């Protein structure tokens, strides 16, 4: 998968991510822009989760939505 494909996938899944983590803003989503580590970090920041908790949430979300970075 090339960089353009990853970006396209992120645009498709961005809405699903916002459904899952409603506290994430449009600005957060712009910063994240398909970067898994950025998503984990923003979940930690907005929800006060540990890195492990946020990482597990993202892993579960990836599995449910068949998302690949």
């Amino acid at each position: 998968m090339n960089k353009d494909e990853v970006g396209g996938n992120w645009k498709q899944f961005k809405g699903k991510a916002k459904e899952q983590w409603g506290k994430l803003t449009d600005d957060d989503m712009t910063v994240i822009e398909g970067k898994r580590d950025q998503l984990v970090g923003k979940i930690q920041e907005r929800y006060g989760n540990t890195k492990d908790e946020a990482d597990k949430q993202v892993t579960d979300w990836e599995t449910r939505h068949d998302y690949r970075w």
Side-chain angles (χ1 to χ4, degrees):
M1 180 177 296
N2 67 36
K3 187 176 182 177
D4 291 335
E5 289 173 320
V6 172
N9 282 345
W10 177 246
K11 288 177 184 176
Q12 291 175 348
F13 282 93
K14 187 165 49 172
K16 292 182 187 295
K18 283 185 72 174
E19 287 175 14
Q20 175 73 30
W21 298 287
K23 291 183 181 180
L24 296 179
T25 66
D26 287 334
D27 287 341
D28 291 336
M29 300 310 271
T30 299
V31 169
I32 293 164
E33 199 60 43
K35 297 179 210 97
R36 188 181 195 284
D37 60 328
Q38 292 289 333
L39 177 57
V40 171
K42 287 296 181 184
I43 292 168
Q44 282 181 268
E45 182 181 323
R46 297 283 182 238
Y47 289 90
N49 294 348
T50 66
K51 183 176 182 178
D52 288 341
E53 290 170 336
D55 189 74
K56 183 179 180 332
Q57 287 183 17
V58 172
T59 298
D60 292 346
W61 180 82
E62 291 166 329
T63 301
R64 283 194 316 279
H65 297 289
D66 193 32
Y67 187 76
R68 291 179 204 89
W69 302 93

